[in-house]
Amino acid sequence: MTEIAFIGLGTMGCPMAERLIRAGHTLRLNRVKEASSHLIALGGRAEASAALAAEGAEVVILMLPDTPDVEQVLFGAGGVASGLSRGALVIDMSSIDPVATREFAKRVREQGGHYLDAPVSGGEIGAKGGTLSIMVGGEAEQFNRALPLFEILGKNINLIGENGAGQVAKVANQIIVALTIEGVSEALLLAQRAGVAPDKVRQALLGGFAQSRILEVHGQRIIDKSFAPGFAIRLHRKDLNLAANAARALQLDLPNTTATLKMMDDAVTQGNGDRDHSALFLTLEAKSAQDAAQGST
């Protein structure tokens, strides 16, 4: 049994924390809200600050929206750093900037702690089912220390390299996911406009080389027009901005990433930022309708 501080109980963090509690670990929780209050009934303990949650914890797990949130929770007033025990392991499972990650790891090590960046892929479904892909950056010794916890949360668990490497892998993952959602959206929009049943097209494609988890899950979401967020567009847009920033720093041209990021900007402007990232389809659909209207005038 491990004493764990868990901070960040949103769409992903809440089911992840629940899995750790049900596996027998002691969780000290910060930022408990109504949607995560059931974790207290399961045995979690609410703490008023990140510092109090971290005091005496062997492991601190973060699952937060963005780079500034991680920095504030770690090093701000009442943050983890002010309560961190010597030798404790900080595991940041958020998706944030790789450069900032390396700096955060350095600061934690200077305080006598250890640090892994371990962003995840698999969405809410993976978080609930314990089937997340976990991409880890850090020392092998600390990876092995954390592995029993990772195995509760995920199935495809890989040590990629030093601190920051996990975040680079996650950025690469988010490029592939975003571009595949965009491609699936275009394909189903084509079928719809051509008067062919999108559900039958999807079913046919699932048996061929175009088969993918995104076509399976998000293709069905698109057909059903069911866009309750498993992973919100605004969060995926944040990740593509990380990709764009990294590309600029490395003097890389990522044209399709740039184009899909623009579509996500449009989706947020259209009020769809809190919908699932499969709702990118709606942006393409709206643009198609606009183009058709302009072409008929």
Side-chain angles (χ1 to χ4, degrees):
M1 183 175 70
T2 303
E3 185 94 2
I4 301 170
F6 199 110
I7 303 164
L9 300 170
T11 300
M12 297 286 288
C14 186
M16 291 166 68
E18 180 172 339
R19 288 191 64 84
L20 291 168
I21 292 172
R22 291 189 183 278
H25 297 288
T26 301
L27 262 67
R28 303 164 69 169
L29 308 168
N30 182 232
R31 297 186 166 189
V32 177
K33 298 178 181 177
E34 183 177 353
S36 53
S37 60
H38 67 283
L39 297 176
I40 305 304
L42 290 175
R45 190 173 82 200
E47 300 287 0
S49 70
L52 289 172
E55 283 184 5
E58 303 164 64
V59 175
V60 178
I61 297 177
L62 309 181
M63 191 61 182
L64 299 164
D66 205 348
T67 308
D69 302 290
V70 173
E71 183 171 23
Q72 178 64 29
V73 165
L74 283 176
F75 305 113
V80 166
S82 58
L84 192 67
S85 301
R86 188 166 189 83
L89 172 60
V90 175
I91 306 174
D92 180 24
M93 305 191 80
S94 320
S95 297
I96 67 167
D97 179 43
V99 175
T101 289
R102 294 186 184 107
E103 179 60 26
F104 297 163
K106 178 183 175 184
R107 292 172 69 179
V108 167
R109 287 195 301 270
E110 287 173 347
Q111 192 170 320
H114 304 283
Y115 197 98
L116 295 174
D117 50 290
V120 303
S121 177
E124 185 181 10
I125 293 171
K128 288 180 175 179
T131 58
L132 295 169
S133 290
I134 306 176
M135 297 152 266
V136 187
E139 298 174 348
E141 180 181 353
Q142 299 307 319
F143 172 78
N144 290 331
R145 175 182 175 185
L147 190 55
L149 301 179
F150 290 152
E151 288 174 339
I152 296 167
L153 303 174
K155 296 297 183 187
N156 183 27
I157 305 160
N158 292 278
L159 177 62
I160 309 297
E162 297 179 350
N163 284 129
Q167 297 294 353
V168 171
K170 178 58 188 290
V171 168
N173 178 86
Q174 296 302 79
I175 290 173
I176 293 170
V177 171
L179 270 59
T180 306
I181 289 174
E182 197 279 336
V184 168
S185 296
E186 286 194 14
L188 295 181
L189 183 59
L190 174 66
Q192 177 179 291
R193 179 60 63 86
V196 177
D199 60 330
K200 293 189 177 181
V201 170
R202 169 185 167 275
Q203 191 60 44
L205 297 181
L206 284 173
F209 204 52
Q211 180 173 348
S212 71
R213 183 70 172 151
I214 289 171
L215 177 60
E216 179 187 350
V217 174
H218 291 318
Q220 190 63 54
R221 283 177 179 266
I222 289 166
I223 290 164
D224 294 340
K225 297 292 194 293
S226 175
F227 300 119
F231 187 65
I233 286 177
R234 62 180 176 81
L235 295 177
H236 204 152
R237 180 179 71 155
K238 178 263 296 182
D239 292 343
L240 285 196
N241 271 312
L242 292 177
N245 292 339
R248 281 191 291 271
L250 295 168
Q251 298 183 320
L252 278 176
D253 183 22
L254 301 178
N256 292 325
T257 299
T258 300
T260 304
L261 176 57
K262 173 62 168 62
M263 290 181 199
M264 288 188 173
D265 288 339
D266 292 343
V268 171
T269 299
Q270 292 162 6
N272 291 322
D274 287 320
R275 289 184 163 189
D276 187 78
H277 48 178
S278 56
L280 191 65
F281 175 86
L282 298 177
T283 298
L284 284 165
E285 186 179 48
K287 186 177 187 308
S288 174
Q290 183 182 43
D291 291 346
Q294 290 174 348
S296 63
T297 58

